[in-house]
Amino acid sequence: QILFVIDTTSSMTNYISSLKPSIIQLSRLLLLLGTNIKIGIIEYKDHSDRMPIRWIGFCDPITQMDNINMFIKDIYEYE
């Protein structure tokens, strides 16, 4: 299992835009390799944010690639 924990507070804005495509590429690589690895993602913000923690449970890139892509697409930096 691989778990990505992503800091999406305001100081990380520049890094988030670079990180999102990297996670998608890694997920696709695992899909192509046919590995038995599951991917989980946790996104966290400041406590004052309306949704300070958001996560997707461990997903199989072979059968749940759409879920992984949608979650990553919805990651945004602190507003």
Side-chain angles (χ1 to χ4, degrees):
Q1 295 176 332
I2 297 173
L3 177 64
F4 293 99
V5 180
I6 304 170
D7 176 349
T8 56
T9 56
S10 60
S11 63
M12 302 306 289
T13 300
N14 294 334
Y15 301 103
I16 294 167
S17 58
S18 301
L19 181 64
K20 289 166 67 170
S22 298
I23 294 174
I24 292 172
Q25 288 174 348
L26 177 60
S27 300
R28 288 184 179 151
L29 177 62
L30 294 172
L31 173 67
L32 290 173
L33 294 174
T35 60
N36 192 22
I37 294 177
K38 304 232 186 289
I39 296 173
I41 306 169
I42 296 174
E43 168 192 12
Y44 70 91
K45 301 180 179 310
D46 290 324
H47 291 289
S48 60
D49 195 282
R50 63 182 163 81
M51 228 170 115
I53 297 175
R54 199 172 67 98
W55 78 291
I56 184 171
F58 286 101
C59 296
D60 180 348
I62 295 171
T63 60
Q64 297 174 303
M65 192 64 194
D66 288 341
N67 293 347
I68 294 168
N69 285 335
M70 286 186 346
F71 187 89
I72 293 169
K73 181 182 174 191
D74 288 341
I75 291 175
Y76 62 93
E77 64 279 351
Y78 179 80
E79 294 180 327

